[in-house]
Amino acid sequence: MSFLGYRRQNGSVGARNYIGIISTVGCANDVTWWVSQQVKGSTLFIHGQGCAQTQPDLDIVTRTLISLGWNPNLAGVLVVSLGCESVSADKIAEGIAESGKPVEKIVIQKVGGVTAAVAQGSLLAQAMAVEASKIEREEFPDSELVLGVKCGASDTTSGLLSNPATGVACDLVIDNGGTCIFGETTEFMGAEHILTRRAATPQVANRIMDIVARMERRATAMGFDMRGGQPTTGNIAGGLTTIEEKSLGAIAKGGTKPIKEVYEYGERPQGRGLFIVDTPGREPEFLTALGAAGAQVIIFTTGLGAPQGFPFVPVIKVTGNPITYERLPEHLDVFVELTEEAGAGIAQAGKALYQEALAVASGKQTRAETIGYGNFPNIFTIGPVI
Amino acid sequence: MKQKAVVLNFRDNVATSLANLKVGDTLELEVGGEPRTIKLTTDIPFGHKFSLSRIEPNSPVIKYGEVIGIATAIIKPGDYVHIHNVVSTRGRGDLSGGVK
């Protein structure tokens, strides 16, 4: 099978063809927003990080912004900097430029302030958008597909239906030579012994145990039962009692194939196959991690009906909850129905989801894209604001 | 007839409802190939769990064939199983005391 994508200079393939307007720091967000409003064919990434943080967090922010710039759904990038922030806008712009795509940079404090930055930034981005519009979609084999998978606003139907169906789609991606990325380390707790059996090497198994232990230490360090935060109040209302129950349902969406490597937040997986990115499962941070990992398309399962998309990666929303599907049609793309032969039904639904991923990679709009929801992502950091 | 509840693994001691079930409803389920009749002792909302057997306090609650938590009270067949009678063993900073 194949899909229609955009060829990039470094050999990667885009499912979308945007100019990315990327903010380096919370204080550059407004300019980033205004520039994106002035440029048809652009998308934006704004966030609350990038300054007054310790070095480990500044490193995470820097590598995440560089990796987002590398995402093949972006044809070119404008980096928007305030000028006095802790992260280096030069380093970020240079890091993105190594992908081979055109990169421009605007520094608000250097060009004479906000209004001048909006004007100059818009002109730079408009020129890139015109150039990008000349790139045409070409046919690529489905081995070029890079799929991210995630669950959010889960209920018990997520573990019964939508996550297993997504797991089937994930397996199909791997069988066809493509790449699939999952994560949500918090939601490995209680299920890590199942994941480690699928680790490609003992080192990968150890890494899985390590990232779960690290995430659990961060949670327990606060001195509270993490319930209410994980599982969330909504998860509990949806029937999920403990993090163990949530995890056992959540890991189904990563399918059954060998896990080749575990990456840190903001890193870009190398090669093809099934990978884990270490990140908590909260949407604004995890969708960013998938975008940074190079996902062209994301499958997002939900029981209660999360509306989120991501600014430049189409997010296919899937539910197994018939009440949610009826109540929130604009939040959802695909319904996985419970059939008498549950196993066969899930296999069928997984195949349909794979086809949907290829269709969306080829240009079909998702609901989240159509309603334009998902403009406020974030970057996961581990230390204090100082 | 549409399935009203599902048992996911032969080791499980809880089932998941697939409809809003009412107190007194009687369900014919299959657990590890054996038929079992469960009469509900309370309403069970869609997607929530009820017990298939007697679970003692501090005993594991099992779904997907795996431990999902520990019972905090005696749970009888047909009882609602949720946060009022099950606790997690993970992420329990309240027990470990946290880091000052």
Side-chain angles (χ1 to χ4, degrees):
Chain A
M1 280 181 280
S2 63
F3 68 100
L4 298 172
Y6 297 96
R7 186 185 299 276
R8 301 296 175 215
Q9 292 86 340
N10 63 0
S12 63
V13 178
R16 296 292 181 271
N17 196 41
Y18 295 116
I19 299 303
I21 319 294
I22 295 182
S23 174
T24 59
V25 61
C27 317
N29 284 348
D30 292 79
V31 169
T32 304
W33 178 270
W34 284 319
V35 169
S36 75
Q37 298 300 303
Q38 291 294 320
V39 185
K40 187 173 165 63
S42 76
T43 181
L44 79 169
F45 185 83
I46 56 177
H47 58 93
Q49 313 299 337
C51 202
Q53 295 170 286
T54 58
Q55 198 57 45
D57 278 342
L58 296 172
D59 291 343
I60 292 172
V61 173
T62 301
R63 77 165 173 259
T64 302
L65 293 175
I66 292 172
S67 292
L68 285 168
W70 273 64
N71 186 290
N73 290 356
L74 301 180
V77 175
L78 172 71
V79 174
V80 181
S81 157
L82 177 60
C84 57
E85 65 268 30
S86 301
V87 293
S88 160
D90 283 335
K91 196 172 163 188
I92 291 163
E94 285 159 17
I96 297 170
E98 282 173 20
S99 68
K101 66 182 72 175
V103 179
E104 298 284 357
K105 189 188 67 177
I106 193 98
V107 182
I108 299 166
Q109 288 167 337
K110 276 190 186 162
V111 298
V114 165
T115 310
V118 173
Q120 290 184 31
S122 298
L123 291 169
L124 288 168
Q126 284 161 9
M128 282 196 285
V130 171
E131 281 306 306
S133 71
K134 296 191 288 194
I135 308 169
E136 290 183 8
R137 285 190 186 267
E138 299 171 50
E139 190 168 356
F140 290 94
D142 55 359
S143 57
E144 295 287 352
L145 189 67
V146 183
L147 177 73
V149 297
K150 136 140 211 69
C151 53
S154 297
D155 67 8
T156 46
T157 66
S158 305
L160 296 178
L161 293 161
S162 54
N163 286 340
T166 301
V168 171
C170 196
D171 283 353
L172 284 169
V173 172
I174 304 304
D175 286 342
N176 290 304
T179 298
C180 192
I181 303 153
F182 72 114
E184 307 184 78
T185 310
T186 324
E187 294 160 38
F188 297 167
M189 277 182 209
E192 59 269 67
H193 58 293
I194 300 169
L195 285 177
T196 52
R197 284 181 215 141
R198 288 167 47 207
T201 65
Q203 288 79 10
V204 171
N206 288 337
R207 281 278 289 149
I208 292 170
M209 296 304 289
D210 286 348
I211 61 170
V212 176
R214 188 167 67 176
M215 194 67 80
E216 192 166 9
R217 275 199 304 275
R218 283 185 200 127
T220 55
M222 301 307 289
F224 287 84
D225 181 351
M226 69 175 194
R227 193 148 70 175
Q230 279 288 11
T232 65
T233 309
N235 295 150
I236 292 168
L240 293 169
T241 304
T242 62
I243 187 63
E244 295 94 315
E245 182 183 11
K246 184 176 176 179
S247 297
L248 290 160
I251 60 161
K253 69 186 179 295
T256 61
K257 301 295 173 182
I259 299 161
K260 284 178 79 173
E261 192 56 85
V262 176
Y263 285 96
E264 294 290 330
Y265 189 95
E267 287 185 331
R268 298 188 297 279
Q270 303 300 307
R272 293 176 188 194
L274 181 63
F275 302 106
I276 286 174
V277 173
D278 177 30
T279 152
R282 197 167 71 173
E283 279 82 352
E285 289 84 3
F286 184 48
L287 292 171
T288 296
L290 290 176
Q296 301 145 334
V297 176
I298 294 167
I299 294 179
F300 182 142
T301 66
T302 180
L304 304 163
Q308 287 95 334
F310 189 77
F312 52 89
V313 183
V315 177
I316 302 167
K317 221 53 81 42
V318 184
T319 192
N321 185 325
I323 302 159
T324 300
Y325 190 64
E326 197 177 310
R327 186 188 293 154
L328 302 167
E330 70 169 352
H331 293 196
L332 297 157
D333 297 278
V334 178
F335 176 50
V336 179
E337 195 171 7
L338 182 76
T339 57
E340 289 295 328
E341 290 295 320
I346 283 166
Q348 200 60 37
K351 279 181 202 159
L353 261 180
Y354 184 67
Q355 297 285 353
E356 182 70 9
L358 291 174
V360 167
S362 299
K364 181 182 175 183
Q365 272 192 13
T366 65
R367 289 293 190 129
E369 283 182 296
T370 309
I371 59 175
Y373 210 84
N375 292 306
F376 300 95
N378 207 351
I379 300 171
F380 171 59
T381 54
I382 51 180
V385 176
I386 51 176
Chain B
M1 193 195 74
K2 204 163 162 31
Q3 222 179 328
K4 284 189 174 166
V6 61
V7 180
L8 296 168
N9 187 282
F10 69 94
R11 283 190 288 264
D12 290 1
N13 55 16
V14 294
T16 304
S17 74
L18 298 171
N20 285 314
L21 303 177
K22 295 289 169 201
V23 57
D25 281 0
T26 304
L27 295 128
E28 307 289 341
L29 297 163
E30 206 180 275
V31 186
E34 301 285 320
R36 198 172 307 182
T37 305
I38 300 290
K39 190 173 181 185
L40 299 181
T41 62
T42 168
D43 291 356
I44 307 289
F46 173 88
H48 288 236
K49 294 176 292 299
F50 56 89
S51 181
L52 296 168
S53 54
R54 184 184 165 94
I55 307 172
E56 298 296 333
N58 300 315
S59 303
V61 177
I62 299 171
K63 180 182 169 183
Y64 299 104
E66 303 282 342
V67 177
I68 63 163
I70 301 293
T72 56
I74 297 168
I75 303 173
K76 296 195 212 69
D79 280 359
Y80 185 28
V81 177
H82 203 19
I83 56 171
H84 60 287
N85 53 15
V86 180
V87 287
S88 171
T89 63
R90 304 296 298 269
R92 294 297 300 269
D94 56 328
L95 302 181
S96 67
V99 175
K100 295 287 178 286

